[in-house]
Amino acid sequence: MSTGPVFDLELAQKALEAQPFSRLLKARITQFGDGEATLVLDIRPELHQQNGYVHGGVLAYAADNALTFAAGAALGPSVLTSGFSIQYVRPAQGTTLTARASVVSAGRRQAVVRVDLKVADDQGAEKLCAVAQGTVLTV
């Protein structure tokens, strides 16, 4: 049972809104709680690399933020990413990027989190474009 402050979807959305870079990317949290978080970005031309795919840095941002929020849902709001790895499965092309993160293991001060990153087309069909895993620590 958690004894820390309640950290719900509304507070998670406020925390995301407080991040200037997240505002620049127009990211939003659509699901938060029970060791899970979903971060969504609308894909626009400014987020592409030279071949027309979503830039890997945008995918890494989405993975990092989603895994940190998922860990925050398990550990509380005062957390930072300690490290993560990302594997790009296929070039990201579509209209929406979704990063769905879930805690794999959590203790009192650390959580390990997995993230699936998917792109959706105009009809909403999703394709996996990357997977990530990271460790988040309380501060």
Side-chain angles (χ1 to χ4, degrees):
M1 177 178 289
S2 174
T3 58
V6 175
F7 193 37
D8 60 12
L9 178 60
E10 183 179 343
L11 285 175
Q13 289 169 333
K14 287 179 182 177
L16 184 69
E17 184 63 26
Q19 299 174 358
F21 191 64
S22 292
R23 287 195 313 269
L24 177 69
L25 293 180
K26 300 179 182 176
R28 57 197 182 277
I29 291 184
T30 60
Q31 187 269 328
F32 177 85
D34 295 325
E36 296 187 347
T38 301
L39 185 80
V40 178
L41 290 166
D42 293 324
I43 297 171
R44 51 190 204 276
E46 308 90 83
L47 303 181
H48 290 162
Q49 43 86 295
Q50 73 279 8
N51 295 315
Y53 305 123
V54 177
H55 192 283
V58 174
L59 297 174
Y61 154 81
D64 179 23
N65 238 8
L67 72 88
T68 303
F69 273 97
L75 300 175
S78 296
V79 295
L80 290 173
T81 303
S82 157
F84 76 98
S85 64
I86 187 167
Q87 286 71 45
Y88 300 103
V89 176
R90 71 171 42 89
Q93 269 186 308
T95 59
T96 307
L97 171 65
T98 302
R100 290 184 185 93
S102 59
V103 171
V104 175
S105 176
R108 286 188 6 216
R109 301 200 64 231
Q110 172 179 299
V112 175
V113 183
R114 176 192 161 89
V115 185
D116 287 338
L117 295 108
K118 296 182 178 183
V119 284
D121 62 20
D122 289 332
Q123 289 73 45
E126 291 186 330
K127 288 186 181 176
L128 185 70
C129 61
V131 293
Q133 181 172 301
T135 303
V136 178
L137 304 174
T138 60
V139 291

